[in-house]
Amino acid sequence: FPADSFDNVAGRCKALTNRFQDEGRDTAFHAIWSNQCIELWFLLHFDYMHANITRDEYRKRLSACIGRHYEKADATVFAQLRPKLNTAVKNAKRLMAEYNAEFPPSRRAPATNVYELIEYLMVSARLFIFDDREVGSRQKDVSPALLLYKALTFALFHPEAI
């Protein structure tokens, strides 16, 4: 996306949320982004990284982390990412803290706010995570947060299916 388009989406979400709140509606809009690419979010599951590299380099580094050639359509990578979710959240927050909060998303590279969605899903589903492993939820069946995380991962790997 061009930088203006990228930044305008985030600004538009904020403006819509403010308008809805002024109207007394309980609706919020929030842009979720990963700059330069979603593979940054995936890499943060394994280690902290603050290097603005090419998309090809992201894929090469991710291949090294997962121990095989990474392809965008590889939905099986989720199994390797899920146990490291807390690490990704911690690393993404650390990365975002490196930037002035007033910087638009296009000027934060590398950076991602995918962790905000994940935290929201965890709170919404009352899912408790500790030391990179799921230790419980209030339900005996599969948690809604895990289902939504899987759906998000599927959508990222299979955009043509949406």
Side-chain angles (χ1 to χ4, degrees), residues 8 25-26 34 44 56 67 78 92 118 125 160:
N8 288 340
R25 296 199 219 164
D26 189 24
S34 192
L44 292 173
D56 285 339
F78 170 77
I118 300 306
E160 73 283 353

Side-chain angles (χ1 to χ4, degrees), residues 48-133:
Y48 178 75
M49 186 186 89
H50 189 164
N52 193 14
I53 58 178
T54 67
R55 292 174 185 209
D56 285 339
E57 186 61 30
Y58 278 109
R59 286 190 282 278
K60 287 177 190 173
R61 288 186 185 195
L62 189 54
S63 292
C65 287
I66 64 174
R68 66 179 192 280
H69 180 71
Y70 166 77
E71 293 285 337
K72 269 217 184 263
D74 182 2
T76 64
V77 84
F78 170 77
Q80 290 177 276
L81 298 180
R82 175 63 180 96
K84 300 175 183 327
L85 184 56
N86 279 350
T87 300
V89 169
K90 180 185 77 174
N91 288 334
K93 284 181 172 182
R94 179 179 167 199
L95 189 55
M96 286 290 276
E98 300 278 336
Y99 298 95
N100 180 322
E102 299 303 315
F103 279 17
S106 66
R107 291 196 46 214
R108 300 180 199 187
T112 181
N113 72 347
V114 172
Y115 72 90
E116 294 173 0
L117 173 62
I118 300 306
E119 286 183 327
Y120 176 81
L121 294 175
M122 284 194 258
V123 169
S124 295
R126 296 181 188 94
L127 178 67
F128 304 102
I129 298 183
F130 180 75
D131 288 340
D132 290 338
R133 66 182 183 274

Side-chain angles (χ1 to χ4, degrees), residues 117-118 120-121 124-125 143-154:
L117 173 62
I118 300 306
Y120 176 81
L121 294 175
S124 295
S143 74
L146 183 56
L147 290 174
L148 286 170
Y149 188 73
K150 284 183 176 182
L152 174 63
T153 302
F154 179 82

